[in-house]
Amino acid sequence: MNKVLIIGGGISGLSMAWALEQQQIDYMLADPGTGGHASVVAAGLMNPVTGRQYKLQPMVEVCWEAAANCYTWWSEVTGHALVRPMDIHRLHRSEAAREQWRSNALPLAGSWAEDLPDERIDHNSYQAGFGGVWVHHGHIVTTGKLYVEAIRYLRNAGKLLETDISPEVLQQGPPFTAGGITFDAVIDASGIAAAANPVWQNIPFRYNKGEALLIKAIELPEDRVITRNVILVPQGSAHFWAGSHNHWDDRNPGPTAEGLDKLSADITATIRVPFEIIRHRAAIRPVIQDRKPVSGSHPAISHLHILNGMGTKGYSLAPYHARLLAAHIAEDTALPAATDVKRFY
């Protein structure tokens, strides 16, 4: 396999760049450099225990291993620390939630989570009348910095095509031409833009808009992630990412007054200390109808591939699925049927 074009510099595209590097496949990544990706607006939180049922994320060990390798590689080649470990304190919102954890999840949690001892809960800072769960092995990826430094690295390495790619390029079939350069294969990691491309019309994309706030709360501890009515992710210098408020099938990418009100109320229901709103942001992420990622090769257009649909767990899932797709491209290995794009054809 000669040169591959990756479309998109969000977390799926950057994960694909890492995975192709491991396979020693030559590539370029196309991105206009504006940073408008949903994964740049995201918190970058890797949380192994999610959902109301306190479920351990499927295949968590292999996903965490792939993510560690991916973000370590990006940290090394850019010269910047882009990921850090941080435990997560998940505060129960009700007695029913606490019983759900204790009756169903606690016996299964093992080393990934445990009951949060009351002495570790800062009752002066948080609304925590029902106790909580101490989730281990959480990580925070510095999303904006990862994007900026990765784009700089790719530019300096001659691997960046600073442009948008028109949908027609994907319809060409091999060879593909973009920016005056010929490519043997294309990987579409363009996020929500793929939903509007007719070559992927069989994929049941849904638009999931997320809104988040950047707040400043100088009295909040910065050594843990807090989740209750809202997720609070430390960003440094007493700043916290607070989110998210989600809308289904809203295609307007801008923040809303409704989102601002809901997030403000959720923060007030989670913490007991004053906070200041610094910024309000929103972005649209692609989610597949069956809530599973989509990857693999187009059944009709040779050497056209896709990596998409990571939803709210992109920073946890994208490196693992990128590694599978890179192996599929390089060695023709089979992809899991549950996430293969061919399930829609």
Side-chain angles (χ1 to χ4, degrees):
M1 177 64 64
N2 292 316
K3 189 165 288 188
V4 175
L5 175 64
I6 304 168
I7 301 176
I11 189 55
S12 290
L14 296 182
S15 294
M16 268 320 315
W18 160 75
L20 293 181
E21 289 273 0
Q22 309 315 300
Q23 291 285 349
Q24 299 183 327
I25 295 175
D26 191 19
Y27 69 90
M28 292 188 75
L29 185 144
D31 188 272
T34 56
H37 305 285
S39 50
V40 175
V41 177
L45 178 63
M46 294 174 55
N47 183 356
V49 179
T50 60
R52 294 182 180 179
Q53 303 298 316
Y54 299 89
K55 296 291 187 181
L56 192 62
Q57 183 169 296
M59 303 184 68
V60 65
E61 291 89 356
V62 293
C63 287
W64 255 236
E65 181 266 334
N69 289 339
C70 177
Y71 303 134
T72 298
W73 182 83
W74 275 115
S75 296
E76 290 173 350
V77 299
T78 63
H80 293 270
L82 300 171
V83 62
R84 65 190 190 277
M86 187 168 291
D87 283 349
I88 301 164
H89 290 188
R90 178 169 173 172
L91 306 177
H92 300 305
R93 297 171 61 176
S94 65
E95 183 61 35
R98 175 160 59 183
E99 288 307 310
Q100 172 72 48
W101 157 253
R102 289 182 172 173
S103 62
N104 294 343
L106 183 56
L108 305 175
S111 65
W112 292 93
E114 61 182 291
D115 238 341
L116 180 62
D118 190 69
E119 61 269 20
R120 294 192 65 90
I121 299 175
D122 184 349
H123 289 277
N124 293 322
S125 298
Y126 308 112
Q127 306 282 1
F130 301 101
V133 179
W134 188 0
V135 180
H136 305 297
H137 309 297
H139 288 79
I140 301 171
V141 181
T142 310
T143 60
K145 192 172 185 180
L146 169 61
Y147 174 78
V148 169
E149 297 303 332
I151 291 297
R152 179 180 290 119
Y153 165 79
L154 293 167
R155 183 185 297 117
N156 292 340
K159 293 180 176 291
L160 181 65
L161 198 59
E162 292 190 72
T163 184
D164 285 313
I165 301 298
S166 70
E168 291 74 21
V169 170
L170 278 66
Q171 301 170 26
Q172 295 172 359
F176 303 87
T177 302
I181 302 172
T182 299
F183 298 90
D184 292 329
V186 169
I187 301 170
D188 188 351
S190 61
I192 198 61
N197 194 318
V199 301
W200 304 118
Q201 62 184 348
N202 280 35
I203 302 175
F205 284 102
R206 291 194 67 185
Y207 290 66
N208 181 250
K209 176 177 172 177
E211 299 189 52
L213 301 178
L214 180 67
I215 67 169
K216 186 174 184 179
I218 60 175
E219 297 178 37
L220 275 187
E222 297 185 66
D223 62 347
R224 71 205 71 170
V225 172
I226 292 294
T227 79
R228 192 179 186 274
N229 295 58
V230 70
I231 302 173
L232 295 170
V233 181
Q235 303 291 295
S237 302
H239 288 74
F240 297 81
W241 181 96
S244 63
H245 177 57
N246 297 319
H247 314 251
W248 284 104
D249 303 318
D250 182 350
R251 302 192 182 193
N252 182 343
T256 65
E258 174 197 350
L260 177 61
D261 291 344
K262 180 66 166 62
L263 287 166
S264 299
D266 285 345
I267 295 169
T268 300
T270 300
I271 64 176
R272 297 177 179 271
V273 300
F275 66 92
E276 173 189 0
I277 296 173
I278 305 299
R279 187 184 308 145
H280 182 194
R281 302 181 73 183
I284 300 174
R285 56 192 163 227
V287 177
I288 311 304
Q289 188 75 41
D290 60 9
R291 303 292 186 93
K292 297 175 182 177
V294 61
S295 68
S297 306
H298 195 285
I301 304 176
S302 178
H303 299 293
L304 173 60
H305 314 283
I306 188 169
L307 183 68
N308 208 312
M310 302 297 153
T312 60
K313 300 180 176 66
Y315 284 89
S316 302
L317 298 179
Y320 171 68
H321 289 283
R323 186 168 66 184
L324 292 180
L325 182 55
H328 172 71
I329 292 170
E331 304 164 9
D332 198 29
T333 56
L335 292 168
T339 56
D340 195 327
V341 67
K342 290 185 175 62
R343 71 189 189 270
F344 300 120
Y345 290 86

